Amino acid sequence: MQLVFKEIFTAFMVLFAVIDIIGNIPIIIDLRKKVGHIQSEKASLIAGGIMIIFLFLGKSILNLIGIDVNSFAIAGAFILFFIALEMILGITLYKEEENNVMTASIFPLAFPLIAGPGSLTTLLSLRAEFRVENIIIAIILNVLVIFIVLKTSKKIERFLGSNGISIIRKVFGVILLAIAVKLFAVNIKILFN
């Protein structure tokens, strides 16, 4: 086991930007208004479990269908690119379905809002570049942040205001865009060598 702080920090920041829990505070507040109560612990643990399971089984599934991790990482770079565009430009490319009131903590909160297509693709993209133990620590740190944000979402919204949330969302969008370009460049180089 080799823990590398730089890998943990980078993986944490990439996942944090993709999950965009701060940018999703308005959605979380709206969900709380609709269903009354969100089980923060349940949503966080289920999202973390989905991400860790996918981190291990995702590669096997890819091998089963004959796709290498670098090709998947390039596809992931495109998804990250479009998520970043959504964050920066304030547009919606992916429309989510209406939620079921009884299962709001699991769907749409844990999946697909937190552990959605973007974060799952990102995990396999990160796996192509970083060690698994560093990614797991990054996932756990993100789950802790998600839990704290879910528990304190009303206070955070009042503190940041709508302009503050919008600015943070755009800043993380630019960071995510740069990460997507790097991910694409590194993996395309590996594929053609």
Side-chain angles (χ1 to χ4, degrees):
M1 190 158 116
Q2 185 181 355
L3 299 179
V4 180
F5 177 76
K6 185 180 176 188
E7 284 190 10
I8 294 169
F9 181 75
T10 304
F12 170 80
M13 289 303 293
V14 171
L15 284 172
F16 185 78
V18 172
I19 293 168
D20 187 28
I21 196 68
I22 301 295
N24 284 322
I25 286 177
I27 297 168
I28 294 164
I29 297 291
D30 187 50
L31 200 57
R32 277 191 198 273
K33 286 177 188 168
K34 287 179 187 172
V35 300
H37 176 69
I38 292 173
Q39 297 170 313
S40 304
E41 301 88 358
K42 187 177 186 179
S44 303
L45 288 173
I46 289 172
I50 290 170
M51 288 189 279
I52 289 173
I53 288 168
F54 194 80
L55 180 66
F56 288 101
L57 295 182
K59 190 173 183 180
S60 300
I61 294 167
L62 288 179
N63 289 339
L64 189 66
I65 57 177
I67 299 172
D68 63 281
V69 175
N70 298 108
S71 298
F72 196 79
I74 292 170
F78 282 113
I79 290 174
L80 294 179
F81 179 82
F82 289 118
I83 290 170
L85 285 183
E86 283 184 343
M87 292 169 72
I88 295 166
L89 303 176
I91 57 174
T92 303
L93 299 172
Y94 172 74
K95 187 175 182 335
E96 293 178 35
E97 297 175 8
E98 288 297 312
N99 60 296
N100 180 338
V101 174
M102 299 303 288
T103 59
S105 295
I106 299 169
F107 183 85
L109 193 54
F111 180 83
L113 197 63
I114 298 169
S119 54
L120 297 180
T121 305
T122 301
L123 286 171
L124 288 187
S125 302
L126 289 171
R127 188 165 177 167
E129 208 171 326
F130 299 144
R131 297 180 65 87
V132 174
E133 57 268 21
N134 295 325
I135 299 170
I136 290 172
I137 291 172
I139 291 170
I140 292 168
L141 291 173
N142 267 289
V143 167
L144 290 173
V145 171
I146 289 163
F147 173 73
I148 292 166
V149 169
L150 289 177
K151 276 289 192 199
T152 61
S153 57
K154 288 181 184 178
K155 291 178 185 173
I156 292 171
E157 185 190 36
R158 280 195 301 267
F159 178 74
L160 293 176
S162 59
N163 287 339
I165 290 170
S166 177
I167 289 167
I168 289 172
R169 190 174 169 93
K170 289 184 188 322
V171 167
F172 275 104
V174 172
I175 292 168
L176 192 59
L177 192 62
I179 290 166
V181 170
K182 181 184 179 221
L183 200 56
F184 177 82
V186 166
N187 286 286
I188 202 85
K189 200 184 295 180
I190 292 169
L191 275 180
F192 286 109
N193 282 341

